Amino acid sequence: MSPDDRALSGRQPKAVTSALRVLEEVARAGSGVTAKDIAARLSMPSATTYRLLNILVGEGYVVRLPDLSGFALGQKIGVLVDAAVVPTVCAAAREVLAELRLSVRFGVHLFYYTNVAVRTADADPEYPPPEDESFLNQHLYACAVGKLLLAEKSELESVIPRWEPRALTARTLVARSELIANLDLIRSRGFATQLAELRDASACVAVPVRSGSGTLVGSLALSGHVDHEHLMLRHVPSLREHAERLAPLMA
């Protein structure tokens, strides 16, 4: 038995189960529910219910409503929901991607966005992206598709709660001011680049895919060697054209 196993007392699993039941009741209530109502519905002692709600509030899974009418789900629940959603790509969208892949000698990848994360929807099987989805989400500031998402936010803290970037290469933007300047550039020209910021030899150019209302729903990206940056940038108009065709198929 490991030290961690011994640290888990016999009562803790039951407490976790009780906390999850409280969370489910808050979710069912939708617009808000009081601790008293939750205790009654679960036949749970009021003191236990309050204690579990305080823990859930402290961890960000539940919030107290401003009008003091009760509790509702917190922002952290959105992270769990986003992670559970599996991106799907319809046949028509795959045809658009196949057409683009036949016209370029770089990797062509389609990504979906949740509120705070990047999801790989369709990676090029012939030229796969240099890093997987998990790595990209850990380093949004260092990848083109991540920077497109960050450029949509009015405050970086909504996606990166703590600014503690790690230099993956000598060109990774680790200074907050430099990243903000780069995001301003992305907004002005309408596409993002990653030039040896994620890996020394890698490069990526990404354009947004937007819904009819202008909401960022995904991105279309080219990946290749950093020495081919100038060639990849020539494809931006074509990427935009294909992104416009993909938009109604993704929104």
Side-chain angles (χ1 to χ4, degrees), residues 64-206:
R64 290 185 177 85
L65 295 177
D67 61 1
L68 304 180
S69 61
F71 298 86
L73 294 179
Q75 286 190 338
K76 269 195 175 178
I77 290 296
V79 176
L80 300 180
V81 172
D82 288 346
V85 174
V86 178
T88 58
V89 180
C90 67
R94 292 188 187 280
E95 290 179 3
V96 174
L97 292 171
E99 178 186 308
L100 180 58
R101 284 168 181 159
L102 288 174
S103 67
V104 299
R105 299 180 63 181
F106 300 103
V108 175
H109 319 292
L110 180 65
F111 296 90
Y112 272 101
Y113 289 114
T114 69
N115 184 44
V116 296
V118 175
R119 303 296 305 275
T120 303
D122 193 303
D124 194 320
E126 187 172 1
Y127 303 102
E131 299 294 347
D132 62 20
E133 178 183 292
S134 175
F135 191 87
L136 296 179
N137 280 305
Q138 292 175 44
H139 306 91
L140 293 173
Y141 57 91
C143 58
V145 294
K147 287 191 282 187
L148 272 182
L149 176 62
L150 296 178
E152 292 293 297
K153 306 297 181 181
S154 58
E155 295 183 356
L156 291 179
E157 286 72 15
S158 64
V159 182
I160 306 176
R162 292 183 298 176
W163 180 248
E164 297 175 347
R166 180 164 63 93
L168 303 173
T169 73
R171 298 180 66 172
T172 305
L173 301 178
V174 293
R176 183 187 178 93
S177 58
E178 291 180 342
L179 178 62
I180 289 175
N182 189 244
L183 297 181
D184 288 339
L185 178 63
I186 290 170
R187 295 186 192 99
S188 66
R189 65 185 185 181
F191 67 92
T193 60
Q194 176 279 122
L195 305 173
E197 298 158 62
L198 196 64
R199 290 287 180 253
D200 286 323
S202 74
C204 182
V205 177

Side-chain angles (χ1 to χ4, degrees), residues 234-251:
R234 290 181 185 175
H235 291 289
V236 169
S238 178
L239 280 176
R240 284 177 167 151
E241 176 195 337
H242 285 81
E244 289 179 2
R245 292 169 58 187
L246 287 168
L249 305 174
M250 296 176 63

Side-chain angles (χ1 to χ4, degrees), residues 43-72:
S43 299
M44 183 180 291
S46 295
T48 301
T49 304
Y50 276 109
R51 187 162 58 248
L52 292 174
L53 280 168
N54 284 333
I55 293 172
L56 291 170
V57 169
E59 294 297 325
Y61 292 104
V62 169
V63 294
R64 290 185 177 85
L65 295 177
D67 61 1
L68 304 180
S69 61
F71 298 86

